[in-house]
Amino acid sequence: VSSVFMVLGLVLTIFRLAYRIWLGRFWVEDAWAGVAFLCGVAAFTSCWTYTKAVGEEGIISFWVYSFTFPSVVWAVRQSILFSIVRIVYTTQHLRRLIFCLAGLFLGLWAGLVAQKAWHYGHNTCWYQTTRKVHILMTQPMIMFELITDCLSDTILIILPLRLLWSLRLPKRQKRMILAIFSSSIIVTIISIFRGVCQISKYITVLALTTDFETALSLLVCNLLVIVTLLYRIISSAGADDSISIDDDDYTTRITTGGVFTTVDLDNAESGSGEQRSSRIQSTLQGEKTVNTV
């Protein structure tokens, strides 16, 4: 069952990357999705290899899975983080904040991988055990991984909610975008459950939980592009004038010949409600004209 979700996540990632390249809007968040895809393929392969491998093959599979599993999760987090930049690109202050958070995520990711590399390589007596899984992690390592998971996922949930909450969009579109970003809480819940399984030494459940977390992370990574694409298709079929047929999702950052055009939310937030709405709509109409040209 976990393999079905994993394959679905990988297929959606391929579709997402091909779609973004076809539109000519391949950006940093798509590159991170590509990293998550490569790590996901390695994790999926090593997971199945481990179920049948013995001796040296089992050891190699364990090493590969131990590093690719967290790499999938953290690459997905980076992709979601840069998706926020693409959607709400208002000030240099916000841009620096996002880049600082990206650096923080990289540091936490590197710290986790370094801990595992040192712990597994320092004492290789575990090579002789038959079932390795992740039961070898010490309790401080488990707590570090759990805290970093909760911290990063909380940032990815609160930040877009805070930035998008005051944005004047049709309620249906706004709720959909907020729900997509809030879906990271599913991965958080699984991460907490995985930490409990590690501490309680539930080996069988731990292996399944880890596989599901990897698969669901890939699914969450592609929700913004896939769901908004489907919504655009449905809305265009229903002649919904609130959706631009030429746009692939609800991004306000558009590339036109190397020049970025944005919605100035700072200025849009000043004035009355009708004035703010008029400013946003006029800016969007201007972008559509430039995009068409």
Side-chain angles (χ1 to χ4, degrees):
V1 174
S2 63
S3 295
V4 171
F5 282 99
M6 189 68 177
V7 171
L8 179 60
L10 294 173
V11 171
L12 289 180
T13 306
I14 294 175
F15 175 80
R16 176 247 183 91
L17 296 177
Y19 180 62
R20 297 289 295 176
I21 293 173
W22 177 68
L23 288 172
R25 296 187 183 179
F26 188 90
W27 202 55
V28 180
E29 81 275 15
D30 302 305
W32 278 112
V35 173
F37 171 80
L38 295 177
C39 295
V41 171
F44 181 68
T45 305
S46 60
C47 178
W48 274 103
T49 304
Y50 179 75
T51 59
K52 302 294 183 181
V54 292
E56 185 177 353
E57 293 181 357
I59 295 173
I60 295 174
S61 298
F62 176 78
W63 272 103
V64 172
Y65 188 81
S66 296
F67 293 141
T68 53
F69 152 66
S71 297
V72 171
V73 177
W74 283 100
V76 166
R77 287 169 180 155
Q78 292 281 28
S79 179
I80 296 174
L81 186 63
F82 281 97
S83 295
I84 300 173
V85 177
R86 183 166 56 86
I87 291 180
V88 186
Y89 197 89
T90 55
T91 64
Q92 290 296 322
H93 175 73
L94 175 61
R95 183 183 182 184
R96 287 193 295 268
L97 173 62
I98 297 294
F99 287 155
C100 288
L101 290 175
L104 174 63
F105 283 12
L106 282 175
L108 295 176
W109 180 8
L112 178 61
V113 171
Q115 281 187 1
K116 289 187 174 183
W118 183 88
H119 183 66
Y120 295 152
H122 179 69
N123 184 1
T124 59
C125 63
W126 58 271
Y127 282 10
Q128 309 303 320
T129 60
T130 56
R131 292 294 295 171
K132 302 170 182 64
V133 198
H134 294 273
I135 204 69
L136 301 168
M137 292 179 63
T138 62
Q139 188 164 343
M141 292 176 61
I142 296 173
M143 295 304 300
F144 175 79
E145 186 175 25
L146 183 60
I147 291 173
T148 55
D149 286 342
C150 293
L151 175 63
S152 57
D153 288 339
T154 300
I155 292 174
L156 293 178
I157 294 172
I158 295 178
L159 184 62
L161 292 180
R162 173 63 181 85
L163 295 174
L164 294 172
W165 189 261
S166 58
L167 186 62
R168 298 182 65 86
L169 286 173
K171 289 184 178 180
R172 187 170 53 177
Q173 299 177 18
K174 185 175 181 179
R175 289 173 183 173
M176 183 185 66
I177 297 175
L178 294 177
I180 291 172
F181 280 109
S182 299
S183 60
S184 297
I185 196 172
I186 300 175
V187 181
T188 307
I189 294 174
I190 298 178
S191 298
I192 295 174
F193 182 72
R194 175 173 51 80
V196 173
C197 292
Q198 288 174 326
I199 296 174
S200 304
K201 304 184 186 304
Y202 295 144
I203 301 178
T204 304
V205 179
L206 172 61
L208 294 175
T209 304
T210 305
D211 294 339
F212 272 110
E213 183 176 357
T214 307
L216 291 178
S217 295
L218 283 173
L219 291 175
V220 170
C221 178
N222 300 300
L223 280 180
L224 182 63
V225 175
I226 301 300
V227 174
T228 52
L229 169 63
L230 295 177
Y231 183 82
R232 181 182 64 85
I233 294 175
I234 295 174
S235 299
S236 61
D240 188 349
D241 295 334
S242 64
I243 303 297
S244 172
I245 304 301
D246 299 327
D247 200 3
D248 62 311
D249 51 26
Y250 304 124
T251 60
T252 57
R253 184 171 182 270
I254 301 175
T255 304
T256 54
V259 179
F260 296 136
T261 57
T262 63
V263 177
D264 190 354
L265 297 180
D266 290 337
N267 294 329
E269 289 176 355
S270 62
S272 64
E274 293 182 356
Q275 291 174 339
R276 291 196 299 267
S277 177
S278 175
R279 290 167 185 168
I280 293 177
Q281 292 297 331
S282 61
T283 306
L284 289 175
Q285 291 295 331
E287 289 183 345
K288 293 176 184 178
T289 303
V290 174
N291 193 31
T292 303
V293 175

